């Protein structure tokens, strides 16, 4: 039987967008060997008498989660300084030194505690006009690209790590590259053109291709493959 | 121009919004989370339609019969006929929107799903729901850019406005501010997972508060006792995780060790459909075999016989998941599984047109009680959500009862009795009692005991949301008590047989603070 965990959770909290951040330390113990940061946050919020290490009552911690099985992207946050999904971060693996530090993603406006406003992801895709005007026919060979691209969670981890992305800038990052790849793979040749222009401006030109984004993508999306594929179609005008 | 207000942006809400936009109607699409986070993205196995691309002579009539039989004749046959008849078109339209369904030579491939003896389930590996949602998001985005769909993400439902003006009150969870949206409302808020916290395969933020609140406001609910247990789930931290029925559709087999050797009990008992009997039957058989003295009490899902190609092309995500969460490779080892709460067949009572008993309020998707009767067939709920959302939108347009001010948004600065949060401790305790009463096998004694315990919690209520939740809990238990027979998802050990006098729908009403359960007849099937 694997063991549970006993860790100190250090949470960077903030009551509102304007309020100053503060660090709260909470001891959390669980017999569940599979417990994740999401489990810890849920349990802490469930306990009305939960105290922090200084003896203060812990007010409900604001954070987002929904599926608890790394499929919805809601629970992205900085964990030990790396953008990750709370529901996919096992305490037993990441709390080896007995401490886990949890912070909101830094590239997005903080609403409260660990909740950030990631609406820029949707706004960017609107700017790029990422949609289909006409029905498409999926050719067999594009299936793999379309499939891979459809796996994006819109979690924003890739944007957090990207040296070139900032909210409000022209560069929309991998969170736009991935969905746009699907469209580029699906659109007939003539209709690719408009999208190709937006792709060049909002993805291709800003990207340094270091692929730091690939390493943190919790869905494990094959970003290089999509990048190569989309560049070929949109920039080098090759029909794959 | 008059706008419609849609609450919920999963498949049903998106489908309603797009249907309106396609006809040039405007809507507000309001949800506590963006669509990417909706429960619909979790759906794995697929969506049903009698496309008959596998040369099995499947027909719409077959799909109709399977759906009615699966739901043990508790669904409205006319609504079901609309569903199955439109299914091929719905799936084709989704393919046109770029859903990467598994295909071969330009044909959409179909897989076998429980309770159906033809291949009828279109799929995109084992992430069908995700791809459906994303395709509809793209489509919605187009209309958002054109101003036809206005999104309000991070906005939470507080209550319906039923006074002189109809509409809905919501709270912006980022700012805490409240707003009244005037006009017709389509509720598409999903299943009531949060009533059973941590015990379902669904998502956390389908809390059940919407259904509880509208019930308290006079909305009729129906078929509440029909909660579906999925036979194959595994416990992961904080929830039950589904092992898709596609695992059995592609050849997975259930067994239990009996006196030292594997016993494939479903195959022995049901030689025709074997492991693909309807979910209620499989879950119940599992319940009984693990309680037999000659077994070791654990059911396994055996997928070792699946060809490598199936793992690669059809179930790659499932294999990754099982490796990740259980450190077991399903291609090499049997997977221990247990039944878990998966789908709420009942909910907000709607007519064939998805209208509720409250004027100007419609409901679609898993939050409503439609199509699935006493037990839902796998693959029919994605279909029900997409199609139901469309029908609800069509009904709003057809009813034409719109005023120019509809859709306008007004900030309100009053404290609303329904805005307080229910305490997690109360939710937890309530869930525990319900679970005790509403297992796979139920009895008068267990249900009455649970009802007693739930009633005791009434005195501890601190806000209206808590009171509403308790009323909903009581309504579910009372519906299950009233149905003194066994049918579909509802199995009573004290009334183990089906009784045709109960071929009627339970309807729960919360009039005057008292919960009443009555019966509604199933409409006759119209000539087709
Ligand atoms: C693991 C899993 C696998 C499944 N697999 C299949 C399958 O293979 N085939 C199939 O047919 N079905 C499947 N289902 C069932 C199917 O996915 C759902 O029934 C269907 O997606 C429900 O869609 P919906 O639009 O009604 O609700 P949801 O997708 O749940 O959307 C509900 C919406 O309402 C919003 N909402 C909820 N509460 C509030 C509130 N208080 N205020 C504001 N907004 C709110 C949410 O944010 C969300 O946008 C599966 C379900 C699960 C859990
Ligand atoms: S490759 Fe580098 S620059 Fe390009 S999106 Fe990824 S992290 Fe950003
Ligand atoms: S590409 Fe990966 S990291 Fe980026 S939003 Fe999509 S799932 Fe998240
Ligand atoms: S809660 Fe959905 S990804 Fe973590």
């Amino acid at each position: 039987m694997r063991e549970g965990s006993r860790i100190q959770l250090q949470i960077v909290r903030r009551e509102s967008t304007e309020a100053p951040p503060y660090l709260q330390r909470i001891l959390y113990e669980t017999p569940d060997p599979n417990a994740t940061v999401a489990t810890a946050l849920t349990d802490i919020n469930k306990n009305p008498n939960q105290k922090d290490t200084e003896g203060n009552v812990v007010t409900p911690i604001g954070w987002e989660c929904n599926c608890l099985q790394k499929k919805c992207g809601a629970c992205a946050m900085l964990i030990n300084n790396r953008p990750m999904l709370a529901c996919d971060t096992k305490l037993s693996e990441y709390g080896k030194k007995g401490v886990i530090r949890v912070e909101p993603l830094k590239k997005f406006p903080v609403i409260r505690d660990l909740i950030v406003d990631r609406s820029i992801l949707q706004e960017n895709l609107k700017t790029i006009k990422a949609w289909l005007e006409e029905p498409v026919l999926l050719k067999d060979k594009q299936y793999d690209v379309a499939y891979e691209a459809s796996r994006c969670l819109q979690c924003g981890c890739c944007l957090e790590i990207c040296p070139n992305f900032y909210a409000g800038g022209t560069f929309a990052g991998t969170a736009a590259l991935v969905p746009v790849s699907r469209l580029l793979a699906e659109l007939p040749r003539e209709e690719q053109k408009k999208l190709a222009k937006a792709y060049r401006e909002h993805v291709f030109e800003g990207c340094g291709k270091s692929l730091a984004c690939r390493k943190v993508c919790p869905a494990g999306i094959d970003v290089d493959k999509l990048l190569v594929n989309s560049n070929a179609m949109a920039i080098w005008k090759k029909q794959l | 121009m008059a706008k419609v207000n849609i609450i919920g942006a999963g498949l049903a809400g998106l489908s309603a919004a797009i249907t309106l936009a396609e006809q040039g109607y405007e809507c507000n699409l309001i949800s506590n989370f963006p669509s990417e986070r909706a429960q619909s993205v979790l759906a794995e196995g697929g969506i049903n339609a009698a496309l008959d691309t596998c040369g099995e002579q499947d027909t719409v009539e077959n799909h109709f019969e399977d759906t009615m039989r699966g739901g043990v004749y508790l669904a409205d046959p006319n609504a079901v006929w609309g569903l199955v008849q439109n299914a091929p078109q719905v799936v084709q339209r989704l393919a046109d929107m770029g859903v990467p369904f598994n295909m071969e030579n330009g044909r959409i491939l179909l897989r076998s799903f429980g309770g159906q003896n033809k291949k009828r389930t279109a799929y995109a590996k084992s992430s069908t729901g995700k791809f459906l949602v994303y395709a509809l998001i793209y489509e919605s985005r187009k209309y958002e850019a054109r101003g036809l769909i206005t999104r309000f993400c991070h906005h939470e439902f507080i209550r319906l406005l039923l006074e002189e003006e109809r509409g809905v009150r919501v709270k912006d969870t980022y700012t805490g501010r409240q707003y009244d949206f005037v006009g017709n409302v389509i509720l598409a808020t999903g299943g009531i997972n949060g009533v059973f916290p941590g015990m379902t395969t669904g998502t956390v933020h389908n809390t059940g508060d919407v259904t509880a609140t509208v019930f308290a406001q006079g909305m009729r609910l129906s078929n509440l006792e029909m909660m579906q247990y999925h036979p194959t789930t595994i416990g992961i931290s904080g929830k039950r995780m589904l092992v898709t029925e596609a695992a059995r559709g592609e050849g997975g087999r259930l067994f239990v060790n009996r006196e030292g050797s594997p016993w494939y009990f479903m195959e022995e008992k049901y030689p025709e459909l074997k492991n693909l009997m309807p979910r209620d039957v499989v879950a119940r058989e599992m319940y009984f075999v693990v309680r037999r003295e000659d077994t070791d009490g654990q059911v396994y899902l055996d997928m070792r016989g699946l060809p490598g190609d199936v793992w690669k092309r059809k179930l790659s995500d499932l294999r990754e998941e099982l490796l990740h969460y259980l450190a077991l490779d399903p291609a090499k080892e049997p997977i221990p599984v247990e039944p878990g709460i998966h789908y709420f067949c009942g909910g907000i009572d709607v007519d064939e047109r998805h209208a509720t008993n409250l004027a100007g309020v419609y409901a679609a998707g898993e939050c409503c009680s439609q199509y699935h009767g006493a037990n839902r067939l796998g693959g029919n709920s994605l279909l029900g959500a997409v199609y139901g959302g469309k029908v609800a939108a069509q009904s709003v347009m057809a009813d034409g009862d719109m005023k120019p001010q509809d859709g306008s948004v007004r900030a309100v600065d009053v404290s609303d009795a329904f805005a307080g949060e229910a305490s997690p401790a109360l939710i937890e305790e309530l869930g525990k009692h319900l679970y005790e009463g509403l297992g796979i096998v139920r009895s008068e004694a267990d249900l009455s005991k649970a009802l007693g315990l739930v009633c005791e919690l009434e005195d501890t209520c601190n806000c209206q949301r808590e009171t509403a939740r308790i009323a909903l809990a009581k309504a579910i238990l009372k519906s299950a008590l009233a149905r003194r027979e066994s049918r579909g998802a509802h199995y009573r050990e004290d009334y183990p047989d089906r009784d045709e006098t109960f071929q009627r729908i339970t309807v729960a009403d919360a009039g005057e603070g008292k919960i009443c359960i009555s019966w509604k007849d199933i409409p006759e099937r119209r000539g087709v």
Side-chain angles (χ1 to χ4, degrees), chain A residues 2 17 32 34-36 39 45-48 63-75 87-88 90 111-112 115-119 121-122 125-126 129-140 143-144 146-156 178-183 186 219, chain B residues 32-39 41-44 93 95-106 123-127 130-131 134-135 138-139 141-142 144-146 151 153-154 173-175 201-206 235-242 313 316-317 320-321 324-325 424-425 428:
Chain A
R2 282 180 301 151
T17 310
D32 177 1
N34 292 319
T36 61
T39 323
N45 276 351
K46 234 187 266 175
N47 178 1
W63 70 294
E64 292 186 340
C65 79
N66 219 357
C67 70
L68 293 178
Q69 55 181 92
K70 56 176 184 143
K71 283 197 174 168
C72 78
C75 64
C87 69
D88 191 30
K90 285 196 184 148
I111 300 301
R112 175 166 76 88
I115 302 175
V116 293
D117 180 357
R118 284 172 279 178
S119 53
L121 274 83
Q122 285 120 27
L125 287 168
K126 228 182 274 175
K129 296 196 168 48
W131 59 73
L132 296 165
E133 289 293 346
E134 301 289 332
V136 293
L137 265 183
L138 268 195
K139 298 194 207 88
D140 276 337
Y143 175 85
D144 284 344
Y147 177 82
E148 192 64 17
S150 297
R151 292 177 52 233
C152 175
L153 306 172
Q154 293 288 294
C155 66
V178 175
V180 170
S181 301
R182 193 196 110 188
L183 292 174
E186 288 176 345
Chain B
N32 51 2
F33 283 89
S35 298
E36 288 83 355
R37 322 275 183 244
Q39 174 175 303
V41 302
L42 296 187
E44 302 177 348
R93 173 92 176 94
D96 289 347
M97 287 181 192
V99 173
F101 286 117
N102 280 44
M103 313 247 283
E104 202 173 78
N105 306 327
Y123 61 98
K125 290 199 185 172
S126 36
S127 302
K130 175 97 172 50
F131 300 154
Y134 272 57
Y138 280 54
E139 198 68 9
R141 184 179 294 135
K142 176 162 84 188
E144 288 163 40
R146 288 177 195 160
R151 286 263 191 184
C153 296
H154 58 85
T173 59
Y174 282 4
T175 62
T201 56
T203 51
V204 174
H205 282 285
N206 284 358
I236 65 170
S237 205
K239 77 177 297 190
R240 305 287 321 169
M241 192 181 91
L242 178 77
R313 290 198 311 121
S316 54
D317 347 15
E320 273 163 35
E321 253 168 37
H324 179 80
Y325 287 104
E428 190 91 351

Side-chain angles (χ1 to χ4, degrees), chain B residues 162-181:
Chain B
L162 301 167
E163 298 87 51
E164 50 299 359
E165 235 170 11
R166 103 196 113 198
V168 60
R169 177 165 293 172
V170 304
K171 179 171 88 181
D172 180 341
T173 59
Y174 282 4
T175 62
R177 280 187 212 117
Q178 297 182 138
Y179 298 92
D180 283 354
F181 287 68

Side-chain angles (χ1 to χ4, degrees), chain A residues 206-224:
Chain A
C207 173
K209 305 185 186 56
S210 61
L211 291 176
C213 50
R214 180 180 179 155
K215 292 198 196 86
V216 299
C217 174
I221 291 175
D222 192 346
V223 179
D224 359 356

